Amino acid sequence: MRSNRFILREREYGAFLASLRKLRADAFAKAVFLVEKNGTLLASTGEAQGVDATALASLAAGNIAATGGLANLIGEKEFSILFHEGERDNMHISVVGDRLILVVIFDRRSSVGLVRLRVRRASQELAQILAAVEENAGEEEGVIEELTEEDIESLFR
């Protein structure tokens, strides 16, 4: 069973960030965000000035949840890919490993097809990193639970 805890260590954060940077370069994207499904922003790269990343993360998670409701209406588990087309910028949103959301913002320097292709490849790499994070979280469970009340009291003496 998967733990609800999500402890992101420096090593895994660096791996996520390296993957996002590669995706941004390969897809000619303006910015890339990695978000947990609960709306927490984990990492980002690119031209994110002027973008409220916290709001973007929350709204992307809400968007995935809302379309999940629509998917359920037609008997699907969820729609794993969403695309929003704007006048100037476009947004590609995809689910990675049932736990993360990958948001790619791109303009006319790129195309939907190229972004989808690069996202597919990056998603595999991100899913592997996520699996390592979850595996490591399971190994470290119990560290705090093993502390006794006496141990805690000794910290304040």
Side-chain angles (χ1 to χ4, degrees), residues 3 133-142:
S3 171
V133 169
E134 291 177 337
E135 188 177 309
N136 291 339
E139 291 174 0
E140 296 179 8
E141 282 185 354

Side-chain angles (χ1 to χ4, degrees), residues 17 20-21 27 33 35 48 53 56 61 67 71 74 77 87 100 102 110-111 113 117 128-129 137 143 145:
L17 198 54
L20 296 182
R21 287 179 177 149
F33 300 86
V35 178
L56 183 138
T67 55
I74 62 168
K77 180 182 168 200
E87 288 182 20
L100 302 178
L102 183 61
S110 188
S111 68
L117 175 68
Q128 289 175 346
I129 298 167
V143 173
E145 290 83 5

Side-chain angles (χ1 to χ4, degrees), residues 51-105:
V51 175
D52 183 346
T54 303
L56 183 138
S58 296
L59 292 171
N63 197 348
I64 289 291
T67 55
L70 289 172
N72 287 335
L73 290 175
I74 62 168
E76 292 289 330
K77 180 182 168 200
E78 68 182 357
F79 295 124
S80 60
I81 297 173
L82 306 173
F83 174 69
H84 300 285
E85 183 175 357
E87 288 182 20
R88 192 184 42 164
D89 293 328
N90 307 305
M91 184 178 292
H92 184 279
I93 302 173
S94 57
V95 176
V96 176
D98 288 333
R99 186 158 189 168
L100 302 178
I101 300 168
L102 183 61
V103 180
V104 179
I105 298 174

Side-chain angles (χ1 to χ4, degrees), residues 114-135:
L114 178 63
V115 170
R116 285 189 68 176
L117 175 68
R118 301 304 188 197
V119 162
R120 189 176 306 141
R121 290 182 184 168
S123 293
Q124 293 171 350
E125 186 176 326
L126 292 168
Q128 289 175 346
I129 298 167
L130 175 63
V133 169
E134 291 177 337
E135 188 177 309

